[in-house]
Amino acid sequence: MRPVLTVHGLTTVFQATPAPLKALDGVDLVVHEGEFVALVGESGSGKSLTGLSITGLLPATARVTEGEIRLGDIDLRAQGAAQMRALRGRKVAMIFQDPMMTLNPVLRIETQMYDALRAHERISRRAARPRLVQALAEVGIAAPEERLRAWPHELSGGMRQRVAIATALLHRPDLVIADEPTTALDVTIQGQILALVQRLCRERGTALVWITHDLAVVAGIADRVAVMYAGRVVEEGPVDAVLDRPAHPYSRGLIDSVAASHPRGARLPVIPGRMPALTELPPGCAFAPRCSRRTDLCETRAPGPASAGDAQTVRCHHPLTDAPGKDLA
């Protein structure tokens, strides 16, 4: 399979006084055609910022300073604002956690979907309507013609998210980045939305990056998992390998904190401490202050990427593998 998205050495900083704050530090990520990659980690780990950096939707206070971002053969860092607008929706689309970030509350669903279609195609409203009806039907919305005439506030949260998904997929983009799109929904609807997006992307060969803090959500669906901590990917590999045999202590802590893996009523293990603020990043491994395996080396030198077997890559001086990893740097 060809790589749809290649991110190498991505560094994003926030402008601040007295010095810029590095929020992403050397992020590497590769997503192939039709592949489902989960990007997981605690709040503040840099997951959403990675998605915004890729799509060129960073706030005015942030900018990408280093690294490579390629969408197929397109160098996204070389594109201007107008060129990025032409690519968003057509080649790469983003689904946000809150569908009301996508939907305008004062426009009917049909108008908003038609505007999204017209942004990249010259098509009349009459010719577009069957496509819009089909798009809503494909995401499981009953009576799609009636729903096209609805206002966003007339739809449930799950239905609004389905509309956002249908809109994102209108142009069959090569890549979809979904930023925790099921967090605000109940558990039953979460599973339906997750299965729906996976099915549609598989059928169309669309690559999918699913951003989440919940490993249990993607355990049986993702092809690969990338675990982020403090702006870095600390472990990456096939989903079964990472979940069954995590190499990084942080990955192990995330897995152990999943309630479903413990007896009912049992006290859940927790990772001690908290993720460091951007102004408090230590000189060595960012996870060292919370890690029981830390040594002096961890506190003074940031670990480079190393092989941990099973096609896994880990950034840790003392990974949870029996044999030391082979240095890839």
Side-chain angles (χ1 to χ4, degrees):
M1 293 185 294
R2 68 181 181 90
V4 171
L5 174 68
T6 304
V7 177
H8 181 67
L10 172 62
T11 300
T12 299
V13 303
F14 282 95
Q15 303 303 314
T17 303
L21 299 175
K22 188 178 291 185
L24 296 180
D25 186 5
V27 171
D28 294 337
L29 187 67
V30 177
V31 186
H32 295 87
E33 183 177 346
E35 190 175 37
F36 189 146
V37 175
L39 196 59
V40 303
E42 292 174 270
S43 296
S45 61
K47 310 182 303 297
S48 297
L49 192 63
T50 299
L52 296 175
S53 297
I54 293 168
T55 54
L57 292 173
L58 288 170
T61 55
R63 63 188 180 92
V64 175
T65 58
E66 296 179 37
E68 177 186 25
I69 309 173
R70 299 194 71 86
L71 185 64
D73 296 328
I74 303 171
D75 181 358
L76 294 186
R77 288 201 63 196
Q79 308 303 305
Q83 293 168 312
M84 284 302 299
R85 283 196 297 271
L87 290 171
R88 281 193 298 267
R90 183 172 59 87
K91 301 290 287 185
V92 56
M94 194 158 183
I95 304 169
F96 295 95
Q97 178 176 334
D98 181 1
M100 293 308 284
M101 289 183 65
T102 303
L103 301 177
N104 189 325
V106 299
L107 294 177
R108 294 184 189 273
I109 299 301
E110 180 177 6
T111 299
Q112 300 189 55
M113 294 184 69
Y114 176 61
D115 287 346
L117 203 57
R118 278 286 307 274
H120 302 287
E121 297 181 34
R122 298 184 64 179
I123 185 171
S124 68
R125 186 180 289 266
R126 176 177 294 182
R129 188 174 177 82
R131 284 179 59 180
L132 303 184
V133 170
Q134 181 183 1
L136 292 185
E138 287 178 343
V139 296
I141 292 181
E145 292 193 11
E146 179 181 342
R147 298 304 179 190
L148 279 177
R149 296 190 294 272
W151 303 91
H153 73 269
E154 295 177 316
L155 306 180
S156 66
M159 290 187 70
R160 286 196 294 264
Q161 196 58 279
R162 289 172 188 264
V163 171
I165 293 167
T167 304
L169 297 177
L170 272 175
H171 297 281
R172 297 178 176 262
D174 298 332
L175 172 70
V176 170
I177 299 175
D179 189 3
E180 303 203 56
T182 62
T183 299
L185 307 176
D186 64 59
V187 176
T188 302
I189 302 300
Q190 279 187 19
Q192 293 175 0
I193 296 293
L194 190 59
L196 168 70
V197 176
Q198 183 201 31
R199 175 179 61 80
L200 291 174
C201 288
R202 294 275 196 228
E203 290 174 355
R204 303 172 185 199
T206 301
L208 177 65
V209 176
W210 190 279
I211 296 171
T212 181
H213 64 276
D214 189 351
L215 278 169
V217 168
V218 295
I221 298 179
D223 299 305
R224 289 190 297 116
V225 173
V227 181
M228 289 196 71
Y229 185 83
R232 286 190 170 188
V233 174
V234 296
E235 182 168 3
E236 188 273 332
V239 61
D240 291 338
V242 172
L243 297 187
D244 294 342
R245 298 173 298 280
H248 198 283
Y250 178 62
S251 303
R252 177 80 272 169
L254 288 179
I255 295 167
D256 288 344
S257 67
V258 176
S261 62
H262 299 277
R264 185 183 180 91
R267 188 179 183 86
L268 294 178
V270 297
I271 303 173
R274 62 176 177 82
M275 186 175 301
L278 294 181
T279 55
E280 302 170 352
L281 290 174
C285 174
F287 187 64
R290 307 174 70 183
C291 184
S292 62
R293 300 170 65 87
R294 68 181 179 272
T295 63
D296 291 344
L297 176 63
C298 304
E299 296 177 352
T300 58
R301 179 181 153 194
S307 171
D310 294 319
Q312 286 168 261
T313 301
V314 64
R315 286 179 178 265
C316 181
H317 291 304
H318 310 291
L320 302 174
T321 47
D322 294 333
K326 179 182 177 182
D327 191 4
L328 296 180

